[in-house]
């Protein structure tokens, strides 16, 4: 058995406790809060990922930048990133979503996002789901721990 197999075997039974401890440290200690803040600042930054379109006229080989289409695409991206367009609840901007995703990844080791199609001005919105409320662990036949999303209807 290799060392990664041993680590996975140990985590199989203690993963829930490990995640609970991580959440407790982040919520209740200044060092935990500072660690998350620094991680978010360095991964997502204050503005998050920003689109910079580089479409060209007549294909890639021409090298002629299509400023008109690039500006339209970047404007649409920026508009989609506003709170009323980005998320189904209309409360988070694209930068907010990125901050929460990075924070949850750091704290919980996982992030759950539902891609909702056919809604909103752009026909696409995101719904962030709290992992502690929606997941369950199952043992698979090949000894892998599967994390499954349980949808509330």
């Amino acid at each position: 058995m290799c060392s990664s197999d041993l680590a996975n075997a140990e985590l199989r039974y203690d993963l829930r406790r490990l995640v609970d401890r991580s959440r407790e440290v982040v919520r209740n200690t200044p060092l935990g809060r500072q660690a998350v803040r620094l991680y978010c600042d360095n991964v997502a930054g204050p503005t998050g990922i920003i689109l910079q379109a580089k479409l060209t006229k007549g294909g890639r080989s021409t090298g002629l930048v299509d400023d008109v289409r690039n500006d339209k695409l970047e404007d649409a991206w920026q508009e989609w990133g506003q709170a009323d367009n980005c998320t189904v609840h209309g409360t988070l901007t694209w930068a907010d979503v990125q901050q929460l995703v990075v924070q949850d990844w750091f704290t919980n080791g996982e992030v759950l996002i539902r891609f909702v199609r056919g809604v909103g001005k752009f026909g696409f919105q995101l719904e962030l789901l709290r992992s502690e409320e929606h997941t369950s662990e199952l043992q698979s036949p090949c000894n892998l721990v599967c994390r499954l999303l349980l949808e509330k209807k």
Side-chain angles (χ1 to χ4, degrees):
M1 200 179 248
C2 71
S3 63
S4 65
D5 290 338
L6 291 172
N8 287 336
E10 283 183 30
L11 285 176
R12 177 177 165 206
Y13 297 107
D14 291 331
L15 184 59
R16 175 71 58 198
R17 186 178 320 151
L18 182 64
V19 171
D20 288 344
R21 286 181 181 168
S22 173
R23 290 177 186 147
E24 191 272 330
V25 167
V26 167
R27 290 178 183 151
N28 299 321
T29 69
L31 187 59
R33 287 189 294 275
Q34 180 66 12
V36 171
R37 191 171 20 258
L38 289 172
Y39 189 73
C40 288
D41 288 349
N42 285 297
V43 173
T47 59
I49 296 169
I50 299 172
L51 176 69
Q52 182 178 6
K54 293 193 176 190
L55 299 172
T56 57
K57 297 177 185 177
R60 229 182 262 180
S61 60
T62 65
L64 300 172
V65 177
D66 191 339
D67 290 327
V68 173
R69 288 192 317 161
N70 287 333
D71 290 344
K72 284 183 180 180
L73 184 57
E74 289 171 6
D75 290 345
W77 176 266
Q78 188 172 8
E79 185 179 354
W80 174 80
Q82 296 172 1
D84 53 341
N85 297 320
C86 182
T87 59
V88 294
H89 300 294
T91 56
L92 301 171
T93 67
W94 175 232
D96 296 335
V97 167
Q98 293 174 72
Q99 287 286 328
L100 283 173
V101 163
V102 172
Q103 179 180 334
D104 275 3
W105 183 263
F106 183 87
T107 304
N108 303 320
E110 65 186 357
V111 178
L112 299 173
I113 302 171
R114 179 182 294 155
F115 298 97
V116 184
R117 300 187 197 305
V119 297
K121 179 178 180 179
F122 293 89
F124 174 78
Q125 290 181 322
L126 304 174
E127 181 180 12
L128 274 67
L129 305 171
R130 302 301 299 180
S131 60
E132 62 263 26
E133 297 171 2
H134 296 281
T135 56
S136 176
E137 292 183 356
L138 298 177
Q139 183 68 32
S140 72
C142 56
N143 293 325
L144 297 174
V145 174
C146 301
R147 306 283 286 174
L148 298 178
L149 172 66
L150 303 174
E151 293 190 19
K152 294 181 181 178
K153 296 207 179 208

